[in-house]
Amino acid sequence: MTSEQYNLCVDLYADRLYRFVRKNLQHQADAEDVVQSAYEILWRNHQQVAMESSRSYLFRVAYRLLLKAWRRQPQAELSDEMHLTYHEQPTGLKQALDLALQTLPPVQKSVVLLRDYEGYSYAEIASIAGLSIAQVKVYLFRARKKLKDVLVSLKYVV
């Protein structure tokens, strides 16, 4: 990959990568750090990465950085995130979906975001997340079921 292709990667994928990371992390500064680190790693390895695989490479690196961030996060914070109370009623479907996404375990949340928000295939998600295709399908099924249950409890799905 040349420096021009690297700059093209930044132009093409920075917003999508940030959106994926931001949906997985609660703090904007942490999300920005992960995206910046992913691009730094891409730059360090730009000679070995082909332009055609740069998008997958970036998401794979960002996913691994997310795993590290989740491991560093205190367990209490993770469990609070997964057991939200619904005392405040969301004002719209987007807000309800964001609230429902926060209730998912990190791996399920990432798989849903990669599939439904970013449009990756099962094989691409398996490669990015280091899972088998069967595991990806199981995580997606469980995550969508949980999302539906949360949205039903919020009265957004019948």
Side-chain angles (χ1 to χ4, degrees), residues 80-122:
D80 290 346
E81 203 176 289
M82 293 195 295
H83 300 295
L84 293 175
T85 58
Y86 305 117
H87 61 275
E88 75 274 352
Q89 189 66 19
T91 57
L93 183 58
K94 182 185 179 325
Q95 191 178 29
L97 188 56
D98 287 341
L99 183 64
L101 277 170
Q102 290 178 13
T103 66
L104 295 176
V107 174
Q108 288 181 7
K109 185 179 189 179
S110 293
V111 169
V112 166
L113 292 172
L114 287 170
R115 177 69 181 169
D116 296 336
Y117 279 67
E118 300 301 328
Y120 279 104
S121 69
Y122 294 127

Side-chain angles (χ1 to χ4, degrees), residues 36-91:
Q36 183 174 352
S37 295
Y39 274 104
E40 178 185 347
I41 291 169
L42 175 63
W43 178 251
R44 278 193 256 137
N45 299 312
H46 75 280
Q47 298 294 344
Q48 293 84 24
V49 179
M51 179 64 185
E52 298 78 36
S53 61
S54 60
R55 179 176 164 226
S56 274
Y57 183 84
L58 278 169
F59 276 86
R60 187 176 319 115
V61 168
Y63 180 78
R64 290 190 179 135
L65 292 169
L66 282 172
L67 288 177
K68 287 180 184 177
W70 292 327
R71 287 184 191 122
R72 285 190 308 257
Q73 206 172 16
Q75 282 305 110
E77 196 174 321
L78 282 176
S79 63
D80 290 346
E81 203 176 289
M82 293 195 295
H83 300 295
L84 293 175
T85 58
Y86 305 117
H87 61 275
E88 75 274 352
Q89 189 66 19
T91 57

Side-chain angles (χ1 to χ4, degrees), residues 16-29:
R16 297 176 82 178
L17 188 64
Y18 176 76
R19 182 177 59 234
F20 168 69
V21 173
R22 183 68 174 101
K23 291 260 186 209
N24 279 288
L25 294 176
Q26 294 299 315
H27 304 288
Q28 179 181 354

